[in-house]
Amino acid sequence: MVDFQLGAWLLVALHALLVLIATVYVSANRRPSAAIAWVLAIIFIPYLGVLIFLLVGVGRLPRRRREKQREVNELILARTEGLHLVSHRDEWPPWLGSAVQLNRNLGALPMVGGNRVELLPDYEGSIERMVEAVDEATEFVHVQFYILVLDTVTQPFFDALARAIQRGVQVRVLSDYLACLMLPRRKETIAAFASMGAEWHALLPLRFWKGQWRRPDMRNHRKLLVVDGRLGFSGSQNMIDATYLKPGNLKRGLRWHELMMRIEGPAVRELNAVFLADWFSETDEMLPFDTSPIVLDPAPDLLDAQVLPSGPSFENDNNLKLYAMLIQKAERRVSITSPYFVPEESTMLAIVTAASRGVEVELFASHIGDQALVYHAQRSYYEELLRAGVSIYLYAEPTVLHAKHFTIDDDVSVVGSSNMDIRSFSLNMEVSVLVHGAEFVKRMRVVQDGYRANSSKVELADWLHRPAGAKVLDNLARLTSSLQ
């Protein structure tokens, strides 16, 4: 009996020591809500909780990766000294200058004028525009997509890359390792790049036998294409069939709706700098940055644009800080489109506060979800938003509204790959483009009006009376969002 009691007390002491160590370690540089969630997990499921934390609890890339990012940032800052003056600064709202400075301090890239930006809301139409751009290439084509798959829809893009190589154009390609591993036709896709002579590398590979290991759900979510440093594309769309070729999606009739941008002007070389940083991280090859001077075109229809990379290679949550600041500065209207809306505390507070002080705030999301846990987690935020006066529109099924963008007042927009969720803020490598221009916001409003016309509006009274089972699932799913 004495030995049994002693063993029990030793286990209790070991558990207490484990919790104490975990509390100190987990709490360091982590949001309180996330730290509490991890500590509770370790208290109630101690050994499994520790194992899960060791697997997915580290919120930054390995030190060498972060050192590479700092090295690139220093090169960019030296290259772009004074470049931020090449803009229409006198036309900005008074607060925009501080947002631009914030982005430059965090992501190293300047706001530059002289850009033409075309919105591409049609899925296959955007691929056609990218094919046209690649067919114009004379020097290089840089391709980077979270998901990149050769299928019947993307075949013309692959054919265009092959034609470019035949003309002597250098084609470099990056795609996320795990995302493509989990989708069909991976072998055929890689074989196509090898056959045409393109240089392809996987982003954030998980090959422990080569020392390439990190938190597995920390992914490179960026989508961009750069042609000759002259034409650029970025936004929410992956390079794959709109059904993502998944049997479940095909059975349910799901198709993705996206928004891409075609950019022409000085901002393209800043978009290319994001590709060059990722290329350096994966290959150790530092390709040259464009250092040619930029002269601001006086044409009144040209826009100022600033590229903001973010993710765990940086020491800060770059996009989180930008998004929260822009919402806080809004005076009249905020329109948010985010398919996966699981906001961090500061973003949620900024949205609710904006609505409470009279700003017209609207959120566009999907009526149907392709990821059950995220789908239920985001629904748990709707009641608080509705009570604050936020208008919520759910895009009609079976289409998944996958576009990611928002507009502030009448002249500021952000378009990119980043959802307004904790994963995009902290775990995924993303790229966003901040655009200033009233004419551009008008075009964005047309896109948002189209969403609204094809959506159902959520009413508070109806939402409060949804089935009890749905409420339970929503609230349970919300708890998992803090385990970051």
Side-chain angles (χ1 to χ4, degrees):
M1 177 64 71
V2 174
D3 290 342
F4 177 79
Q5 290 178 337
L6 179 60
W9 281 111
L10 286 174
L11 285 175
V12 170
L14 180 61
H15 187 193
L17 180 62
L18 179 65
V19 170
L20 178 62
I21 294 173
T23 301
V24 173
Y25 181 77
V26 169
S27 300
N29 300 316
R30 192 181 298 271
R31 288 186 294 271
S33 61
I36 291 170
W38 277 116
V39 170
L40 288 175
I42 292 170
I43 289 174
F44 290 108
I45 46 171
Y47 304 110
L48 181 59
V50 170
L51 180 62
I52 295 173
F53 177 80
L54 293 175
L55 183 64
V56 298
V58 178
R60 287 284 175 261
L61 287 174
R63 179 180 299 175
R64 177 56 185 145
R65 285 266 182 171
R66 288 180 280 129
E67 288 174 349
K68 284 184 172 181
Q69 185 66 63
R70 285 193 291 270
E71 185 177 344
V72 170
N73 287 355
E74 290 172 1
L75 289 173
I76 292 173
L77 288 170
R79 171 188 66 88
T80 60
E81 183 177 359
L83 194 59
H84 64 285
L85 300 176
V86 185
S87 62
H88 302 86
R89 181 176 290 265
D90 57 327
E91 300 175 10
W92 296 355
W95 52 264
L96 184 56
S98 59
V100 169
Q101 185 61 47
L102 170 71
N103 288 347
R104 184 162 167 77
N105 290 340
L106 296 175
L109 298 172
M111 180 79 124
V112 290
N115 303 285
R116 288 186 170 85
V117 183
E118 177 185 354
L119 293 175
L120 303 172
D122 179 71
Y123 198 102
E124 296 187 11
S126 69
I127 295 177
E128 291 174 3
R129 295 291 279 152
M130 285 186 267
V131 169
E132 292 173 4
V134 172
D135 279 334
E136 296 176 6
T138 59
E139 299 177 25
F140 67 83
V141 176
H142 289 162
V143 181
Q144 179 173 345
F145 286 92
Y146 173 60
I147 295 172
L148 181 56
V149 174
L150 171 62
D151 57 41
T152 56
V153 172
T154 63
Q155 181 72 60
F157 181 74
F158 280 73
D159 292 342
L161 294 178
R163 290 192 296 269
I165 292 171
Q166 291 171 2
R167 296 194 305 272
V169 175
Q170 178 70 54
V171 174
R172 301 180 179 93
V173 183
L174 296 170
S175 61
D176 186 79
Y177 175 85
L178 188 59
C180 292
L181 187 66
M182 297 170 65
L183 287 163
R185 300 187 59 78
R186 173 181 169 82
K187 291 183 179 179
E188 292 88 341
T189 301
I190 296 173
F193 288 131
S195 175
M196 71 175 69
E199 189 173 356
W200 171 84
H201 292 276
L203 291 160
L204 300 177
L206 299 173
R207 297 182 284 235
F208 62 88
W209 60 92
K210 292 185 177 181
Q212 297 173 330
W213 186 257
R214 62 197 57 82
R215 177 171 174 167
D217 63 341
M218 194 176 289
R219 310 312 314 157
N220 194 311
H221 197 238
R222 294 167 181 160
K223 295 100 174 169
L224 62 91
L225 169 70
V226 177
V227 176
D228 294 343
R230 178 178 54 83
L231 292 175
F233 295 78
S234 190
S236 65
Q237 184 173 332
N238 290 297
M239 187 59 69
I240 188 173
D241 181 275
T243 66
Y244 279 57
L245 304 176
K246 294 183 177 180
N249 294 348
L250 294 169
K251 184 177 181 180
R252 298 165 68 188
L254 300 187
R255 292 183 63 85
W256 268 239
H257 184 78
E258 309 285 358
L259 183 67
M260 293 289 283
M261 297 185 299
R262 178 186 182 275
I263 307 171
E264 184 176 0
V268 175
R269 75 181 201 174
E270 310 312 314
L271 193 63
N272 193 48
V274 177
F275 177 91
L276 297 181
D278 283 339
W279 186 266
F280 176 51
S281 292
E282 299 301 345
T283 68
D284 291 324
E285 179 185 11
M286 181 72 80
L287 297 171
F289 289 86
D290 187 348
T291 59
S292 59
I294 295 176
V295 178
L296 183 63
D297 190 319
D301 62 325
L302 300 183
L303 303 168
D304 294 345
Q306 183 177 30
V307 176
L308 178 68
S310 59
S313 62
F314 292 89
E315 301 301 330
N316 295 279
D317 295 334
N318 297 359
N319 49 357
L320 168 61
K321 290 179 169 60
L322 170 65
Y323 291 11
M325 178 185 178
L326 292 182
I327 295 167
Q328 289 166 354
K329 293 296 184 181
E331 297 179 353
R332 293 175 296 280
R333 182 175 175 182
V334 178
S335 294
I336 300 168
T337 302
S338 180
Y340 311 118
F341 181 83
V342 186
E344 192 267 351
E345 292 96 327
S346 62
T347 315
M348 185 67 177
L349 181 61
I351 293 171
V352 170
T353 301
S356 299
R357 57 187 172 84
V359 176
E360 179 186 351
V361 182
E362 58 185 356
L363 169 66
F364 295 98
S366 289
H367 189 276
I368 193 169
D370 65 305
Q371 298 183 24
L373 198 61
V374 178
Y375 172 73
H376 284 287
Q378 76 178 36
R379 287 161 54 93
S380 71
Y381 292 90
Y382 289 174
E383 180 179 342
E384 184 179 356
L385 293 172
L386 291 167
R387 289 188 183 279
V390 176
S391 297
I392 302 176
Y393 297 93
L394 302 182
Y395 202 81
E397 56 183 312
T399 300
V400 175
L401 180 59
H402 193 248
K404 310 158 197 300
H405 53 81
F406 66 103
T407 53
I408 303 295
D409 294 337
D410 302 319
D411 54 359
V412 176
S413 299
V414 176
V415 182
S417 66
S418 178
N419 298 295
M420 200 165 283
D421 70 348
I422 296 170
R423 176 167 300 283
S424 284
F425 289 150
S426 299
L427 300 181
N428 287 341
M429 300 177 73
E430 308 281 4
V431 61
S432 303
V433 182
L434 172 67
V435 180
H436 172 260
E439 183 273 337
F440 183 75
V441 170
K442 287 180 180 178
R443 285 186 274 143
M444 289 291 295
R445 297 289 191 218
V446 172
V447 171
Q448 293 160 350
D449 290 344
Y451 298 162
R452 194 180 302 102
N454 200 37
S455 299
S456 58
K457 187 176 182 181
V458 181
E459 300 293 346
L460 178 59
D462 296 334
W463 189 251
L464 294 177
H465 289 91
R466 73 192 192 279
K471 295 179 182 179
V472 171
L473 285 174
D474 296 346
N475 292 330
L476 288 176
R478 180 169 179 164
L479 293 176
T480 66
S481 66
S482 292
L483 293 176
Q484 308 293 343

